[in-house]
Every structure is written in structure tokens, then in C-alpha cells.
Amino acid sequence: MEKRKALITGITGQDGSYLAEFLLKKGYEVHGIVRRTSNFNNRDRLEHLTNRKKSFDDISGPILHYGDLTDSTSVKKLIKEIMPDEVYNLGAQSHVRISFDVPENTSDVVALGTLRMLEAIRDICPKAKFYQASSSEMFSGKPTEVPQSEKTPFHPRSPYGCAKVYAHNITVNYRESYGIYASSGILFNHESERRGENFVTRKITRTLCQIKLGLVDCLSLGNLDSKRDWGHAENYVEAMWLILQQEQPDDYVVGTGEMHSIREFLEEAANILGMKIKSNGKTGKDEEYLDENGKVIVKIDSIYMRPAEVDVLCADYTKAKNKLGWEPRIRFKQLVKRMVEHDLALAQKEAYVEGKEKEVGEKISSSIKILLEFAEKYGIKLPDTKKWNSEEN
């Protein structure tokens, strides 16, 4: 039987890498679109999926193609070349805070990029099933509209959210106008060990681990009190696949049904690391978190504040539960624990490289030393782990 073909935009991102992994296990032939200007470090997320055996030509894993959602010619060329059975449109400028700085680019990629993909499918491959990655950022987050379901009105509070609303609605339009199998997953916040380090959750776990080992002094954040519905991306890509396996196309909210603030995430991560931190009790940009010795560990920086904030997001995933049989498997505390443990291991390697064997511990130092010696002996280049604490809250 011929393998089903799947095309993933945004394959080098967090969700794209987990989805590629999931589909390969299902026996799919997986194709992914990569921009020529894409950061090569992002492709580390796919390294474990490439199995090089006897020769460089003998490779099993995702097949990567150069392309760009802002270029309709390349999109149509790839659709014609691959003729996919399923298309997962995950590619985006997905950083909400940055979308205020680059609204035109965000709209071009997120909104018009979706339109270009739908047009290519309609013209060339109309039997393909299309999945649109919609977002909880399409909602206003007002307390009177919580939890949010498929019936909750949209009221986006960022250029990213506005672009996602257009992409969502054009997906519905092509489904109703042209009979294309086009569905959307309205996914609430989903994080993981593969999350980009300029997103607030990963920024917290990454930097706290570095602070614990004496690699950096302080973590800068923005609004600590906005509440989000956080799940694990590995769990959510299964929902994406289930959405395209239904007899009829439709739209589904995917989340955990639990709310937690950024403050809770910060305190839980610190607790896992055994770091005793406490707020100074002040509000806004004057608030700080101090350790037990009175040293400032967390500062509030207005640069990470959004011009308009979505305060409260919580998913009502009843429809996904009843129709897809999907439920969240990884809850908040387990999510934070997994991310902290992953980033602590990275920080321990950094600390060893910088000569901080005492902070790392003798047992771990010995293990890292063996790893580094092995890498040097066989010419293996380990990832550069010194580009942290970047942009976003």
C-alpha cells in the first residue's frame, strides 16, 4: 500500500517537529517546507528523525524542501511536486509580542500565507485535506468569556491574533465555497522542551537553571499575572492528526481546561529547582523576586509588556473530547517539570564547559566530560548553548 503523504509548513518549529515525529510513526511520507533564511539551529529539532545508515543517500525521515509562505510561486510548485494527501499549515511568525513590531510581515506570513496555501490546493490538489493552526490569541480573554469554545466570538488583541482570525475565517470560507476539506484546530498555549527560548515559559525554565548554576544573574519578564491554558505540544499534535481523520471537516478547540498565571509558572519552576524565591510585594515594574539571601532573581521590564494584553485564556475542549476522543495527557506541573529537567541538563553542560564543576557536581561533571571527549574525538559538533535570555515575555 502506498504511503500517505503529509506536507508540513513550519516543520522546524516546536509543533512541526513533534508532528513530523508523530506522522512518521504512523507510516506517512513526511515533507516539510523550510525557508532559505531559516535559522539552522531550528533544524536541531529534526535531527533525531534523520536516520543515516550506510550512505548519505540512505535516509529515512522528513523530506525538506525550500519554500516560503510569502511566495505563491514556491507554494504552488511544492504542492504540484508533492501532491500531498494532508497539509498541516503550522508556519507562522508566531511570537505575539514581536507581532506588534512587525505587523506587516506577521500578516503576510500568517494571514496571506494561509490564503496562498488554500489557493494552491484548490487549483492543483483539491482532494488534499487541509489543517489550519488557529490560535487562542483570536479571543479577547475577557473574564466574562471564559472558558472559550468554538462558539466564543473572536476579538483579537494583537497583530498576530488579527492575522490568525483572517486565516481561520478564510479556511472556513474555502471549505464552504469550494468544498475543500479544510479544518482548524484552535489550539491554546502548548509548550515543551523544544519551545523557542524567547517564549516566556522556556525563557523562565532556561534562565532559572542558568541562575541556579551561577551562569547568569537575573531573569527579566513582563506581565506576571496574565493567565493561560498550558499543555504539552507533543500531546497536541495528535489532536491535529485526529482532526483530519474525521469524515467531515470542522473546527475544534484544543486545550486542558486549566488556567495558570505566568507567576505560577515561575514559582513552580523555581520550586522544582529548590530555589526559594519571594516577591517584594510591589506591583508593576517595581516588583522583583528575591532569593533567600536577598539577591534579585527576577525583574520586571516594560519592554516585555504588550500594548494590549489577553488576560485570561482557558479552553472548553468538550467538542474535541466528544468527537475526536482527545484529552490532554500532560498537565501543568508535569509540563513544568519536564521543561526544567531538560534545561537543567543543558545548563549543567554549560557550567562544566565554563569550569564550574563544583556547581554541576562531581557525578554529572564526569558524565559531561565523557560526552565532550567523545564529541571531540569523533568530530561531533555539539549545539551552541550560549544564545539565551532573548526577547519575549
Side-chain angles (χ1 to χ4, degrees):
M1 184 178 176
E2 190 174 346
K3 286 185 176 183
R4 280 192 287 178
K5 293 180 182 179
L7 173 61
I8 304 172
T9 70
I11 194 171
T12 60
Q14 169 190 255
D15 295 5
S17 67
Y18 277 118
L19 180 60
E21 188 175 274
F22 178 87
L23 294 175
L24 287 168
K25 289 177 181 177
K26 288 283 183 183
Y28 280 71
E29 179 180 303
V30 177
H31 297 257
I33 297 180
V34 181
R35 290 176 296 120
R36 287 193 179 274
T37 56
S38 176
N39 188 335
F40 271 85
N41 290 318
N42 291 342
R43 302 188 195 184
D44 290 346
R45 297 186 178 111
L46 301 174
E47 280 296 313
H48 66 292
L49 301 179
T50 301
N51 180 23
R52 296 183 185 273
K53 297 179 181 178
K54 296 180 181 178
S55 72
F56 285 101
D57 295 325
D58 188 4
I59 299 173
S60 61
I63 303 165
L64 303 182
H65 307 262
Y66 282 120
D68 197 314
L69 287 172
T70 64
D71 177 14
S72 58
T73 301
S74 72
V75 169
K76 289 181 177 181
K77 178 177 176 291
L78 287 174
I79 290 290
K80 186 175 182 179
E81 178 183 328
I82 298 165
M83 293 299 288
D85 299 293
E86 296 173 5
V87 176
Y88 295 86
N89 187 37
L90 313 184
Q93 190 301 99
S94 59
H95 201 293
V96 178
R97 175 61 188 85
I98 290 176
S99 76
F100 285 97
D101 300 325
V102 288
E104 186 176 344
N105 174 261
T106 299
S107 300
D108 194 11
V109 176
V110 177
L112 295 181
T114 302
L115 175 61
R116 293 180 187 107
M117 187 62 70
L118 285 165
E119 268 293 281
I121 290 172
R122 183 171 77 92
D123 289 345
I124 299 165
C125 194
K127 291 185 179 180
K129 294 183 176 182
F130 178 80
Y131 170 85
Q132 168 58 22
S134 291
S135 169
S136 59
E137 290 289 336
M138 301 188 301
F139 300 119
S140 70
K142 294 179 181 177
T144 55
E145 297 176 346
V146 176
Q148 292 96 0
S149 72
E150 295 82 2
K151 296 180 180 179
T152 304
F154 296 142
H155 188 143
R157 305 268 290 163
S158 67
Y160 171 77
C162 291
K164 280 292 185 182
V165 169
Y166 176 87
H168 180 89
N169 285 335
I170 200 66
T171 299
V172 173
N173 179 261
Y174 270 61
R175 179 170 74 213
E176 295 176 348
S177 300
Y178 304 114
I180 291 175
Y181 190 113
S183 296
S184 292
I186 306 173
L187 271 57
F188 281 61
N189 292 67
H190 44 291
E191 316 298 317
S192 76
E193 306 88 313
R194 300 180 193 175
R195 190 52 139 159
E197 290 161 13
N198 59 342
F199 287 82
V200 66
T201 51
R202 187 78 196 285
K203 181 178 178 181
I204 289 171
T205 59
R206 190 72 180 90
T207 310
L208 283 184
C209 289
Q210 291 177 313
I211 291 171
K212 182 175 177 63
L213 296 183
L215 295 166
V216 297
D217 294 324
C218 187
L219 166 64
S220 295
L221 295 172
N223 181 9
L224 297 181
D225 294 316
S226 40
K227 295 181 178 180
R228 294 292 183 266
D229 182 330
W230 278 306
H232 198 287
E234 186 177 20
N235 190 187
Y236 283 37
V237 298
E238 180 184 8
M240 298 178 189
W241 177 76
L242 285 169
I243 287 171
L244 291 196
Q245 309 317 305
Q246 304 309 299
E247 187 174 339
Q248 297 297 327
D250 207 345
D251 307 317
Y252 298 85
V253 160
V254 176
T256 70
E258 296 180 7
M259 283 188 301
H260 297 276
S261 66
I262 294 172
R263 185 183 303 278
E264 288 178 78
F265 194 103
L266 170 68
E267 293 177 353
E268 179 64 21
N271 181 60
I272 293 169
L273 287 166
M275 299 172 69
K276 296 180 180 179
I277 64 172
K278 187 176 181 180
S279 171
N280 63 5
K282 297 181 180 180
T283 59
K285 62 185 173 82
D286 296 322
E287 183 176 14
E288 295 175 334
Y289 267 80
L290 294 81
D291 67 11
E292 53 192 332
N293 298 315
K295 180 184 176 183
V296 176
I297 298 298
V298 180
K299 292 181 179 179
I300 305 303
D301 191 330
S302 58
I303 195 173
Y304 301 122
M305 299 288 190
R306 300 180 187 178
E309 181 63 88
V310 177
D311 294 318
V312 183
L313 290 174
C314 185
D316 177 357
Y317 67 94
T318 303
K319 182 177 176 181
K321 179 180 178 180
N322 292 339
K323 291 196 172 185
L324 305 178
W326 181 90
E327 288 198 67
R329 294 192 303 270
I330 300 171
R331 297 291 184 171
F332 178 73
K333 285 181 178 289
Q334 187 182 0
L335 168 68
V336 181
K337 185 172 185 290
R338 283 178 60 162
M339 293 178 68
V340 167
E341 289 176 347
H342 175 271
D343 284 336
L344 183 59
L346 285 179
Q348 286 168 339
K349 192 194 88 169
E350 284 181 297
Y352 178 83
V353 170
E354 294 190 12
K356 297 179 180 289
E357 292 92 339
K358 183 178 178 181
E359 288 84 348
V360 175
E362 183 179 345
K363 183 177 179 181
I364 295 173
S365 290
S366 299
S367 301
I368 294 172
K369 183 178 181 181
I370 293 170
L371 170 64
L372 294 174
E373 287 175 349
F374 179 87
E376 183 177 0
K377 180 179 179 180
Y378 291 99
I380 299 170
K381 184 180 178 182
L382 295 174
D384 178 8
T385 56
K386 296 183 180 180
K387 314 176 296 305
W388 318 119
N389 208 24
S390 47
E391 304 145 27
E392 141 114 296
N393 180 22

